Amino acid sequence: MSRAEQLDTVTDTTAGTVERHATTGTFESTDPATGAVVGVFPVHDAQAVQETVERARPAARLWADLGFDGRRQRLAAYRGHLARRMHELADLVHRENGKPRADAILEITLTIDHLTWAGAHARRTLGRRRVRAGMLAADHAAYLEYQPLGVVGVIGPWNYPVFTPMGSIAYALAAGNAVVFKPSEHTPAVGAWLAAAWRAAVPDVADAFQVVTGNGSTGAALCRAGVGKLAFTGSAPTGRRVMAACAETLTPVLMELGGKDAMIVDDDADVAAAADAAVWGAMSNAGQTCIGIERVYATAPVYDRFVAEVTERVRGLRPSSDDEAAYGPMTMAAQADVVRRHVDDATASGGRAATGGTVDGVLVAPTVLLDVPEESAAVQEETFGPTLTITRVRDAEEALERTNATSYGLAGAVFSRSRVKAMDLARRMRSGMTSVNSVLTFASVPALPFGGVGESGFGRIHGEDGLKEFTRAKAITRRRFRLPVDLTSFSRPPAAVDALARVVGVVHGRHR
Ligand code: NAD
């Protein structure tokens, strides 16, 4: 069959027309609750991905040339479009990912907030500024600016199909880049919707944000397509494969990977508030949250009360696919198997389920695990399900030690009424983000950077760091006048360096 004959004719009923591309077939996205087909999408092959990136290159130049004001205006038009069609998008997220519509609305609202911040702060963060030239270049003006990278590739997961990829896309666009986005094969309809919304809201630079769909091979092709940077959000094992593929072309990478986040509940904590936050942090979105709370270390004086408060709240949660449910089905059936394995391992190795512990198809009962050995999978590996281990510890120091004894380091939480102690614990937690007396809050503060350490990855989205992540620093000096003596010329008099040495001796020599 010729390439022309392979041209895809699939249209996505949810997002309008998907562009015609050469493909290696199609795939379906389905509703995790019912199995109903949400959309049929092309599997874009390496050539289709390359063509998309090539189409993005002139768009990147056009987009960059619009400057901060032109981009801010168009980012505002985009977020206006998202806000006006929020319910349509929330419904699609609900159908394709399984989460309750109310949670989808929250996710879209967070995204709009980040789009606003990124557009408003790009100039101040990245625009040209003068810096001190220093003693040796006193006759020069020195300038710093952060320039876009061109086309940025974004590969995303399915768990927050709007908020997570837009954490890279919004900041990359605000920094002046074009974006080619490969959404998860479990949420292609949401990805296609986001790009179609861009085309509708920003028709004059429509190719500045495009989508390619498919599985891992489409993602791998994007890694090899000569993008200026590859922003990856997903699991650590896939992250390693992405880095290896990007290494072939020395393409820089941003790695937003998994987590095993802990909450520390100290002696003086507001136990009811800590329990309420732990339950939301662990169970919302069916626990499929990279920064979800998966472990709690509660000190001996509060442990029993905390377990009782959590267990009571958890017993009131009902997983289902209706709008009144606390959370929906697991987005992927395979993830339910991971949860089952972790719960079985925990109970087989001496732990017990205070409540829950059952998996019914893609519906996982909210589960609280007690007395689970630290070396078990439920404590060491990312579970990504509505489960929580609670462990009794001597004091906050032991809690911190155990919190930090994992290869992951994405985020975490501390509950204590002592501001000084809580801030100290938060700073010493080996993670990129920590919230005190709440959970997940840092993600809703656009000015704060988001990213991890260790197996949770490197690089940052959100905030000023997130804008700079999608740029390269450019340094410029401009000679303003000529000094009588030029130290960097073969015509310099020998005495000039002696004089310089004397000055350096006087200025710096007194420091011991
Ligand atoms: P995943 O690693 O299975 O897939 C992520 C993306 O990578 C998908 O789009 C997939 O198609 C693509 N991919 C697969 N193989 C590839 C390859 N060889 N080359 C290029 N791309 C490839 O992850 P997932 O199951 O979609 O998402 C869940 C994971 O994401 C969890 O570990 C979660 O903690 C993590 N996550 C992290 C953050 C964060 O910001 N740190 C946010 C959300 C999710």
Side-chain angles (χ1 to χ4, degrees):
M1 188 189 287
S2 72
R3 265 206 96 69
E5 284 167 325
Q6 286 177 20
L7 273 179
D8 197 79
T9 53
V10 171
T11 52
D12 164 22
T13 51
T14 56
T17 306
V18 169
E19 294 213 10
R20 287 164 63 85
H21 281 300
T23 68
T24 51
T26 59
F27 68 105
E28 287 178 353
S29 127
T30 54
D31 182 328
T34 62
V37 174
V38 176
V40 182
F41 296 87
V43 179
H44 289 128
D45 63 11
Q47 188 180 331
V49 170
Q50 192 68 56
E51 284 166 7
T52 309
V53 169
E54 295 313 321
R55 214 173 22 254
R57 292 194 201 285
R61 285 190 288 276
L62 200 63
W63 181 243
D65 287 348
L66 285 174
F68 292 110
D69 288 340
R71 293 196 294 269
R72 181 181 179 163
Q73 207 181 19
R74 285 160 180 82
L75 287 168
Y78 186 48
R79 72 170 197 267
H81 187 99
L82 296 189
R84 287 189 297 279
R85 297 176 66 181
M86 177 185 273
H87 289 285
E88 179 189 321
L89 178 56
D91 184 63
L92 183 57
V93 170
H94 167 70
R95 283 192 288 129
E96 195 173 45
N97 163 284
K99 72 179 67 184
R101 285 180 183 79
D103 287 356
I105 294 277
L106 196 58
E107 180 177 345
I108 298 163
T109 307
L110 281 170
T111 304
I112 289 172
D113 210 23
H114 277 277
L115 269 165
T116 310
W117 194 93
H121 289 79
R123 181 198 294 281
R124 194 187 317 159
T125 309
L126 309 173
R128 192 170 70 200
R129 77 195 67 159
R130 249 177 103 159
V131 297
R132 281 177 69 89
M135 186 174 75
L136 287 173
D139 50 340
H140 294 256
Y143 303 93
L144 166 65
E145 69 182 55
Y146 293 87
Q147 299 181 342
L149 301 169
V151 181
V152 168
V154 175
I155 297 177
W158 45 265
N159 57 335
Y160 288 83
V162 179
F163 177 67
T164 295
M166 288 303 287
S168 292
I169 295 165
Y171 288 80
L173 286 169
N177 304 281
V179 170
V180 175
F181 170 39
K182 207 297 278 178
S184 165
E185 52 273 43
H186 301 288
T187 50
V190 174
W193 192 100
L194 291 172
W198 175 269
R199 297 191 92 80
V202 190
D204 61 335
V205 210
D207 285 341
F209 174 21
Q210 300 176 74
V211 155
V212 289
T213 52
N215 49 23
S217 64
T218 305
L222 186 54
C223 295
R224 297 190 171 94
V227 291
K229 186 160 198 164
L230 196 294
F232 173 77
T233 308
S235 63
T238 311
R240 285 188 175 80
R241 286 196 283 278
V242 166
M243 280 186 77
C246 286
E248 292 170 18
T249 46
L250 279 182
T251 299
V253 292
L254 161 70
M255 289 282 138
E256 294 286 352
L257 309 176
K260 190 70 192 174
D261 293 354
M263 173 192 284
I264 296 172
V265 186
D266 202 0
D267 301 355
D268 63 348
D270 178 337
V271 173
D276 191 63
V279 172
W280 173 262
M283 313 291 169
S284 60
N285 207 36
Q288 304 169 117
T289 304
C290 56
I291 49 172
I293 299 293
E294 299 209 350
R295 307 175 282 157
V296 176
Y297 296 106
T299 60
V302 295
Y303 176 84
D304 288 335
R305 221 157 20 104
F306 181 78
V307 169
E309 293 265 5
V310 166
T311 308
E312 190 193 322
R313 284 172 168 76
V314 165
R315 287 200 176 120
L317 300 183
R318 183 179 57 86
S320 183
S321 57
D322 60 78
D323 277 341
E324 279 70 48
Y327 60 83
M330 304 303 285
T331 306
M332 296 149 56
Q335 200 57 42
D337 297 336
V338 174
V339 179
R340 190 184 288 113
R341 178 170 65 79
H342 284 196
V343 172
D344 290 350
D345 177 59
T347 48
S349 55
R352 66 192 166 90
T355 181
T358 56
V359 180
D360 176 14
V362 284
L363 285 181
V364 179
T367 301
V368 178
L369 296 165
L370 307 177
D371 306 325
V372 182
E374 285 293 284
E375 58 281 6
S376 72
V379 178
Q380 293 300 326
E381 296 173 26
E382 186 179 49
T383 306
F384 230 51
T387 69
L388 188 65
T389 65
I390 310 177
T391 304
R392 184 198 303 265
V393 288
R394 191 182 58 247
D395 54 22
E397 284 306 314
E398 187 187 354
L400 185 67
E401 204 176 296
R402 292 187 183 218
T403 294
N404 289 347
T406 135
S407 54
Y408 288 111
L410 192 53
V414 175
F415 271 77
S416 164
R417 284 195 171 93
S418 160
R419 184 160 83 180
V420 172
K421 196 170 176 198
M423 288 298 288
D424 177 56
L425 288 166
R427 292 187 62 234
R428 289 191 291 136
M429 187 178 277
R430 184 179 166 275
S431 66
M433 297 84 66
T434 301
S435 48
V436 172
N437 295 334
S438 73
V439 288
L440 322 183
T441 309
F442 43 79
S444 63
V445 181
L448 284 177
F450 185 108
V453 302
E455 292 269 318
S456 294
F458 52 83
R460 294 292 182 265
I461 54 172
H462 302 175
E464 293 185 358
D465 299 86
L467 285 167
K468 286 183 183 167
E469 189 74 42
F470 298 106
T471 62
R472 64 172 73 88
K474 174 77 181 184
I476 300 175
T477 62
R478 180 180 56 80
R479 189 185 283 280
R480 291 187 298 143
F481 55 87
R482 281 201 174 273
L483 290 169
V485 174
D486 187 351
L487 287 167
T488 57
S489 164
F490 289 113
S491 63
R492 74 183 172 208
V497 173
D498 293 341
L500 175 69
R502 277 198 300 281
V503 171
V504 171
V506 169
V507 173
H508 298 289
R510 62 200 161 86
H511 296 292
R512 301 203 177 272

